[in-house]
Amino acid sequence: MKRIAVLTSGGDAPGMNAAVRAVVRTAAGYGQEVVGVRRGFQGLHQGDMRLLGARDVANTIQRGGTILLTARSHTWRSPEGRAQGAAFLREWGVDGLVVIGGDGSFHGAHYLYQEHGINVIGVPGTIDNDLYGTDHTIGYFTAVETALDAVDKLRDTAASHERIFVVEVMGRHAGHIALDVAVAGGAEEVFLPEEEKHVSSVVEIVQQSVSKGKASSIIIVAEGYPGGALGVAAAIEEGTGFDTRVSILGHIQRGGTPVSSDRILASRLGEAAVHGLIEGRTDVMAGRMNGEIVFTPLSETWEKRKDLNRDLYRCAKNLSV
Amino acid sequence: MKRIAVLTSGGDAPGMNAAVRAVVRTAAGYGQEVVGVRRGFQGLHQGDMRLLGARDVANTIQRGGTILLTARSHTWRSPEGRAQGAAFLREWGVDGLVVIGGDGSFHGAHYLYQEHGINVIGVPGTIDNDLYGTDHTIGYFTAVETALDAVDKLRDTAASHERIFVVEVMGRHAGHIALDVAVAGGAEEVFLPEEEKHVSSVVEIVQQSVSKGKASSIIIVAEGYPGGALGVAAAIEEGTGFDTRVSILGHIQRGGTPVSSDRILASRLGEAAVHGLIEGRTDVMAGRMNGEIVFTPLSETWEKRKDLNRDLYRCAKNLSV
Amino acid sequence: MKRIAVLTSGGDAPGMNAAVRAVVRTAAGYGQEVVGVRRGFQGLHQGDMRLLGARDVANTIQRGGTILLTARSHTWRSPEGRAQGAAFLREWGVDGLVVIGGDGSFHGAHYLYQEHGINVIGVPGTIDNDLYGTDHTIGYFTAVETALDAVDKLRDTAASHERIFVVEVMGRHAGHIALDVAVAGGAEEVFLPEEEKHVSSVVEIVQQSVSKGKASSIIIVAEGYPGGALGVAAAIEEGTGFDTRVSILGHIQRGGTPVSSDRILASRLGEAAVHGLIEGRTDVMAGRMNGEIVFTPLSETWEKRKDLNRDLYRCAKNLSV
Amino acid sequence: MKRIAVLTSGGDAPGMNAAVRAVVRTAAGYGQEVVGVRRGFQGLHQGDMRLLGARDVANTIQRGGTILLTARSHTWRSPEGRAQGAAFLREWGVDGLVVIGGDGSFHGAHYLYQEHGINVIGVPGTIDNDLYGTDHTIGYFTAVETALDAVDKLRDTAASHERIFVVEVMGRHAGHIALDVAVAGGAEEVFLPEEEKHVSSVVEIVQQSVSKGKASSIIIVAEGYPGGALGVAAAIEEGTGFDTRVSILGHIQRGGTPVSSDRILASRLGEAAVHGLIEGRTDVMAGRMNGEIVFTPLSETWEKRKDLNRDLYRCAKNLSV
């Protein structure tokens, strides 16, 4: 192996820079050069790349976003686009590519390997934590912390006004963020995409809560729950007549200085991805499960279902009494 | 003077507890007892009050929200409601009331003095900074910091995706928060309620920005600007075709641990309010202008217009080149 | 089982309140009353206890420190002191005690069971993460985050002045905090109590770093490394002549709002401790390993050695190239 | 005027980058080029400079430290060193220099004007707030916030253990940081370099505090108070026998993302410095007093004494009852 390329793709996630740094420095330790591709697959299609040395990633471990930039690429969906990208990689003498991103990005990587034989390794970089094959994804811990910080702030107002707040957190298909935030934020209830719980159940919960003497409540709703926070709030107001406030946290959950857990996970997985390429692995994702590095076929990362933590779900319910 | 009462009213603001603490402890220093009224004028109407000693406010200076609770009172709008409140104050032997809140709360205090001769002093507690007679209001500094922190996070994503973000901050009638956040956040443009600038101007600004080589932009919109952030974003998308993201920060701007400037301001003004009552002042607000404590008739605080900082507005424009 | 008692003991750790809350609310779910003991074993010896209901722990999950107070008790070291504590527990009708603390506190709990047959379950609450039987201890994640935030700040100055900073973090006997902070903080080198590395090795590391073109460096030292940060800094100055600054972070690492991971861990373990008591377990600690709740005999928690994460140690070295 | 140079010098302070950005962009608005000098006067002496355009300072407003680097220069103390620096400025066609730093840096600027007729304007960039001619210096607000955040954390431990904490904050010659932190942190007492208060007075204060029922206390000591925090703690232990903990916050107070107030002040003063040069001012500092931009002769900034806020000092005492 002579050269390794690295790109970040899809939605940005805190810790992506720590992963890029780990790829560059691990490769440097093996005497390998690293080619940084800008703007994800779109940049790869356009040949927008440059060499990255160990000093080029200095002072980046603490930065949010991605210094390589990212994009959602349309051209990559066509076989011609991918052929063009593969040609650029060969031109630069690259024989292994690390793709940091989510399941869309892993599809792109998978095709590149299938169609052009480029060795690819995925590194899970997405705040949603919705990939099979790793306990956590890079960016997830920071997103939870940002959402929790917002909930703590809203709690001040909820408690002072004795009001109900319905807070919508990110998670289009997965309730991981919502569940963690609910437990850590001491929420009354949580609505997840994975649950079939009907929104009307919130009425009884709120009424019980009031009858127990609770003057204020926080209710967490994952973005992907049908109707979202607005739907839940409407159900409460209609069913109980209580004054309710909605807060949709939105994009702030993507940014910010990564917390330690994301930087450490990114460092471990960036390192593992290079090791994997050197060992001849391809078409797999480097993940961490129960503290150990594991490699999972890319296709399994999106085909297999990562379950919610049921114990935590039960815990959330039990502690909101 | 035998007893002083204190209440917080209207929207909660970070630093209200520091102001309550200052009232209680300054009064204690004069050997006076303090009666804490819960839930603002609603609680006053209902006689929901209790004695507060110096130890009761220990460990509260750093807390967001208000330990006295707050509410928006409907009953207070009727003369009967106010008569009832005045009767409770007399019953408790209170001959001076400190009202911590915004202009709605100051109206309530003003009527109490006018109709029942209760001595009242207002302390400006609102994140909006829209009261005449004080350079800043308690809670304003923290709200700016919270909004700025969100903008810093959004900037990570904006820069990584080379996108335009339109961020809506609080300020229904005043652009103070928006202006400070725009300067401190390095925003491209800011839309304020006080400005007659047409939303279409944003198209030219964005196009100039792109022609200067800027790949991403942050645009700040005050809640009270006609159309809000959604209107500005729609204008950009229609006029330029660029992909735009909207973030409405909302209620998180009200909560959180108060920053040092809010705690210091609250300490000074809570102290000044007690001094004012002891000196026989009434129907005035204690404020701080150019570092000095000043008392302004309550009616002037809402009748006179507090101007935007024009130098800062010009500065925002000049530095976004 | 009729009543459960709970206390916090030893050094305070962020998340202790979340654990107390989980104990109280889980017990409430089983219809059990909870007795809160103040000031740890000292308060138990003095019978300083009161009933805690579900509402008494409202709004505490986000608070640092411990609402039950804590202390290091001398009287507990005598058999008479423990007999007195056991008598108070019986008097209150308590037949199970949850002790939240570190190894010193677990010794106290162990004796109480051995000598008086009181059922005890330990919950690991200490920032040091030095207990066998759990992957992490409550407070550890927050301490790492606080130390990392400090390192990020120091990095600004280190980079601006092109200086070497030697930063001492907590960990008298264990290097867990130091290692996590080193990886996440992008440190040049880390000195741990568990390593026999001689301080003189730092000279070569600094010289290599300079020869690679690094203008500034962060070096992390655990409190328990012989000589501490001052010793390492002296070795650098003597061996290289470079200007060096020392920062000893100290007690700030114990306080602050707990991060999400500590609140979640505390919620799980507080719940598990009550389940354990109800199932008849005693003289064990509730821990979490690989995501699962496990119970470990109290004596093993301090007798068995929890190893450093060797993979992480290697990673720290590899990524500082 | 054709070209303006800018440098940062002395200890780094949060907001220096915002000031550099404001200088560069204000100059760009006037069609002027800006030359950035690296490493302060040391770099000036060595001719280490390069052109800075408006895009070069993009995305820097939120960064701590200084992108221009800083240093304490020995060579600048010699007339030859300054002559060399002046020659480089002429060579680059610079006819005005903005110096961002503290009083040491302003001395350097003053000599450059006196000896070589180079127009110089100072911008106050130092966390100490010890310059006459401006209400606040750039970096001061962030340093106070960082110290206050640490005090909040220590308060958790102090309250949980019912202990006395003595906290030392920066301020070798001035007590501004200490005083603000004392008021905002709800401290029991504060020891300042400007006060002649004897350390033994702390004994009585602590005893009174205990007799009032306070179980824990925070005492703030400015670095420049004789004996520092260690001296105060020793006096407490000797005089009262109470267990005391010391925390010396140190260098973390210099770094970190600047808070909004520092970014806004830096933006205003960087802009004002360029305006000043264009208007023909020299040998002065741009400051902000009572919200207005004012220019003060450089020599006055260090010769005249900036007083402590006596009202705030009294407030600190009154509210610690």
Side-chain angles (χ1 to χ4, degrees), chain C residues 12 39 66 70 156 160 162 256, chain D residues 39 66 70 156-157 160 162 256:
Chain C
D12 65 319
R39 295 188 186 82
T66 161
T70 184
D156 286 338
S160 298
E162 300 175 306
Chain D
R39 296 189 185 79
T66 161
T70 184
D156 286 338
T157 296
S160 298
E162 301 176 303

Side-chain angles (χ1 to χ4, degrees), chain B residues 90-109:
Chain B
R90 292 215 177 81
E91 193 177 298
W92 278 74
V94 168
D95 41 15
L97 172 68
V98 178
V99 171
I100 305 168
D103 69 340
S105 309
F106 288 177
H107 275 85

Side-chain angles (χ1 to χ4, degrees), chain B residues 155-179:
Chain B
R155 175 195 292 277
D156 286 338
T157 296
S160 298
H161 284 267
E162 301 175 304
R163 252 182 213 156
I164 298 162
F165 263 87
V166 184
V167 187
E168 185 174 305
V169 301
M170 279 195 164
R172 219 165 287 178
H173 306 292
H176 302 286
I177 293 177
L179 183 51

Side-chain angles (χ1 to χ4, degrees), chain A residues 127-143:
Chain A
I127 64 166
D128 288 337
N129 197 24
D130 58 353
L131 293 167
Y132 180 85
T134 191
D135 289 340
H136 302 101
T137 54
I138 297 165
Y140 173 68
F141 293 104
T142 306

